[in-house]
């Protein structure tokens, strides 16, 4: 049974930082295409950052470029999202997603097969 478990969310003031973790387990086959999404109340799910964990290739949504960094802890099969200079508009539920199949549009949520339960990030002004 594949599981993605996010942690690290919380409440911070604008300008602060948080680091989210996504622990993956239960894979029979490698699922190298992983991403972070977020969803604010009343809005659709938005792609935040992507990583091909085999090649190390990363992509970011424009609103978070220069502030967020996606990385992996290979030894522990964990995907990380370092979030700096947080803004109130970053407030959302953050989800980790994964798939084993090649993706053309990384920010399309329908491309991902496995999802975590989410972790809440709240940024106050």
């Amino acid at each position: 049974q594949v599981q993605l478990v996010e942690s690290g969310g919380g409440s911070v003031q604008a300008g602060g930082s948080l680091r989210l973790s996504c622990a993956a387990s239960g894979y029979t086959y490698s699922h190298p295409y992983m991403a972070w999404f977020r969803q604010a109340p009343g809005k659709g799910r938005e792609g935040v950052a992507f990583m091909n964990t085999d090649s190390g290739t990363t992509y970011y949504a424009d609103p978070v470029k220069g502030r967020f960094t996606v990385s992996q802890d290979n030894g522990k099969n964990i995907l990380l999202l370092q979030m700096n200079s947080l803004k109130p508009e970053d407030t959302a539920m953050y989800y980790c997603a994964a798939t084993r199949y090649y993706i053309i549009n990384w920010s399309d949520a329908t491309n991902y097969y496995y999802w975590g339960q989410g972790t809440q990030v709240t940024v106050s002004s």
Side-chain angles (χ1 to χ4, degrees):
Q1 180 74 18
V2 173
Q3 279 193 316
L4 300 177
V5 180
E6 301 98 333
S7 61
S11 297
V12 296
Q13 291 191 328
S17 298
L18 285 172
R19 188 175 81 160
L20 306 184
S21 296
C22 171
S25 63
Y27 289 150
T28 299
Y29 300 99
S30 173
H31 288 62
Y33 308 106
M34 299 188 72
W36 287 97
F37 284 77
R38 66 186 181 187
Q39 188 166 17
K43 295 189 177 181
R45 196 161 290 193
E46 173 189 27
V48 175
F50 167 88
M51 187 172 203
N52 178 336
T53 58
D54 281 349
S55 68
T57 299
T58 59
Y59 300 110
Y60 297 92
D62 285 343
V64 307
K65 282 181 181 176
R67 300 188 298 122
F68 291 11
T69 302
V70 62
S71 62
Q72 60 179 327
D73 182 337
N74 281 335
K76 298 182 179 179
N77 210 23
I78 294 174
L79 188 72
L80 303 169
L81 184 68
Q82 178 66 42
M83 305 186 296
N84 298 327
S85 303
L86 283 161
K87 305 175 181 181
E89 51 264 44
D90 294 319
T91 295
M93 184 73 78
Y94 282 70
Y95 299 91
C96 174
T99 183
R100 60 180 295 204
Y101 300 106
Y102 177 74
I103 293 174
I104 294 177
N105 181 3
W106 70 267
S107 61
D108 183 350
T110 64
N111 285 322
Y112 297 87
Y113 192 76
Y114 293 108
W115 290 83
Q117 81 291 345
T119 185
Q120 178 68 38
V121 172
T122 303
V123 185
S124 59
S125 57

